[in-house]
Amino acid sequence: MSQAIEELQAEWNEIKAELDRIQAEYDLLCNKRTSFQVIVLFPKDNSPAAQAEFQENCQTQMREWSVNLAELEREMKATSLRLKKTQTKLAVKQNKLYELQAKEILPRLVRQAQNLNQLAEKLEQEVKIFWQISQDFQPRVAEWLPEIPRLSTFEKNITIPKVQQSQNGLQLINKELDLEEK
């Protein structure tokens, strides 16, 4: 692996760790919001003073709850934006990493594809020679002669792996052999 790829991988790891920290922070805020509650203590009696105190406590709790909830919502929104920004940074690094890896690996892959295709051509020639030799056997057919020996059999479809260029890069395919072509 080249030095540039190693450096980029280290940067990617740092951004991923930051992303995980932000995600954990966001999850914590979501849990806090989910468990957000207001405590209301009902009066012991129905006296006007107890009812007035109860109403005042409820309004105070609701105001605090609204302020706290709004603050929590702001924190969640800010954290969500940081999360998206970090995800974007990570995606950019990942694309650059893919690009560098492709530049490094593609020439090796092309050389290997050429080697594979050379071997496939040689194998195809050898299979055709094998087929031709088996076709050279001409047994005599007569009812009183022993059964004709079967020296070789061939499947209907014989394929050899081959590498070809496609829109998405190199593709390993099965090339079907035509043994009847001579």
Side-chain angles (χ1 to χ4, degrees):
M1 192 162 41
S2 72
Q3 182 68 26
I5 290 176
E6 289 175 4
E7 290 172 6
L8 198 58
Q9 184 69 49
E11 290 174 24
W12 187 93
N13 290 339
E14 289 174 15
I15 295 170
K16 177 69 170 107
E18 180 184 352
L19 181 70
D20 291 343
R21 283 191 300 275
I22 295 170
Q23 183 67 53
E25 183 181 332
Y26 184 77
D27 292 344
L28 185 67
L29 289 171
C30 287
N31 288 339
K32 188 176 180 180
R33 183 174 183 261
T34 301
S35 64
F36 209 71
Q37 56 187 331
V38 173
I39 298 172
V40 179
L41 300 173
F42 290 99
K44 293 181 181 179
D45 58 34
N46 283 337
S47 68
Q51 289 293 327
E53 184 181 344
F54 172 71
Q55 289 295 330
E56 185 179 322
N57 284 340
C58 283
Q59 289 175 358
T60 302
Q61 285 285 330
M62 291 303 288
R63 279 193 300 272
E64 288 176 13
W65 182 79
S66 294
V67 168
N68 290 339
L69 187 59
E71 179 63 29
L72 186 58
E73 290 288 337
R74 280 192 296 279
E75 284 183 54
M76 286 179 67
K77 187 173 184 178
T79 305
S80 176
L81 290 174
R82 282 184 25 235
L83 188 62
K84 288 178 183 172
K85 183 179 176 184
T86 307
Q87 286 171 335
T88 302
K89 276 175 42 179
L90 188 66
V92 168
K93 288 291 179 192
Q94 185 64 58
N95 283 337
K96 186 66 175 169
L97 191 57
Y98 285 155
E99 181 183 326
L100 287 176
Q101 287 174 334
K103 284 180 182 177
E104 184 176 293
I105 292 173
L106 189 60
R108 290 177 25 216
L109 198 56
V110 168
R111 280 192 306 275
Q112 191 62 31
Q114 290 169 343
N115 291 344
L116 254 171
N117 285 341
Q118 287 173 356
L119 290 170
E121 287 174 19
K122 177 73 173 150
L123 181 59
E124 182 177 353
Q125 290 170 1
E126 294 297 327
V127 168
K128 287 181 177 180
I129 290 169
F130 179 77
W131 181 81
Q132 187 58 50
I133 291 170
S134 71
Q135 296 302 305
D136 290 343
F137 180 65
Q138 300 291 327
R140 306 222 186 270
V141 179
E143 290 179 15
W144 53 272
L145 290 175
E147 188 176 317
I148 299 169
R150 179 168 268 177
L151 298 178
S152 61
T153 58
F154 292 84
E155 293 288 324
K156 184 176 181 180
N157 296 322
I158 297 176
T159 61
I160 292 178
K162 183 177 180 175
V163 179
Q164 73 178 17
Q165 181 78 29
S166 71
Q167 290 178 331
N168 298 329
L170 300 175
Q171 181 180 17
L172 189 62
I173 63 164
N174 285 319
K175 178 185 176 193
E176 195 167 318
L177 298 183
D178 182 12
L179 298 175
E180 302 288 333
E181 65 186 31
K182 291 188 177 183

